[in-house]
Amino acid sequence: MNMGNNVLVYAAAASTFIAGVLHIALVPMFLKSMTPDVMIFFIVSGLAQIYWIIPTIKRWIMPWYYIGIAGTIILIILWIIAIPGSGYPIGETDVAIEVFQIVYIILSVIIIVNTNREKNKIQI
């Protein structure tokens, strides 16, 4: 794997880590207004995103990237339904989380494409 891919991998890991930390940071920020199930959702989502730096940095097999992308897309869809879709105001933290999640998806797709290109070059 070349230097450019290393940068992409670490940037993807950093973006999912930051999104995870921000998800967890929402809990104390809105402690009095969150129900226990919503708190648990944000904690679990945040921990999953923080955990996801491991398969990203270690470059585990491709299904891990696909699972990470799918899970992140699901989180974005849930946010769209729950916040703007329900008429709640969009906060700065919301925007930051969504941006980092989108960055993770884009970088992961680029990593997959680059990895497939490298495999195809080796096979030829």
Side-chain angles (χ1 to χ4, degrees):
M1 191 167 278
N2 63 30
M3 182 63 160
N5 278 351
N6 286 337
V7 171
L8 292 173
V9 166
Y10 288 111
S15 64
T16 194
F17 175 79
I18 294 167
V21 168
L22 291 174
H23 267 123
I24 292 172
L26 288 174
V27 174
M29 289 170 51
F30 298 101
L31 190 60
K32 295 190 187 299
S33 61
M34 279 187 186
T35 60
D37 57 333
V38 173
M39 281 189 259
I40 291 169
F41 173 79
F42 279 111
I43 292 169
V44 170
S45 297
L47 291 174
Q49 287 179 305
I50 291 169
Y51 167 80
W52 221 255
I53 64 173
I54 296 170
T56 302
I57 289 176
K58 295 208 176 257
R59 296 177 184 106
W60 288 355
I61 57 175
M62 279 300 125
W64 284 91
Y65 280 102
Y66 294 119
I67 293 167
I69 291 167
T72 304
I73 289 171
I74 289 169
L75 288 174
I76 291 169
I77 291 169
L78 289 172
W79 176 79
I80 291 169
I81 292 168
I83 303 300
S86 298
Y88 291 107
I90 299 170
E92 293 170 356
T93 307
D94 296 330
V95 173
I97 291 170
E98 299 315 309
V99 166
F100 283 112
Q101 290 181 147
I102 291 167
V103 167
Y104 171 78
I105 292 168
I106 292 169
L107 293 174
S108 292
V109 168
I110 294 169
I111 291 165
I112 291 168
V113 169
N114 288 349
T115 302
N116 288 337
R117 281 185 188 154
E118 287 177 9
K119 284 181 184 176
N120 289 337
K121 285 181 184 177
I122 292 171
Q123 292 176 357
I124 295 177

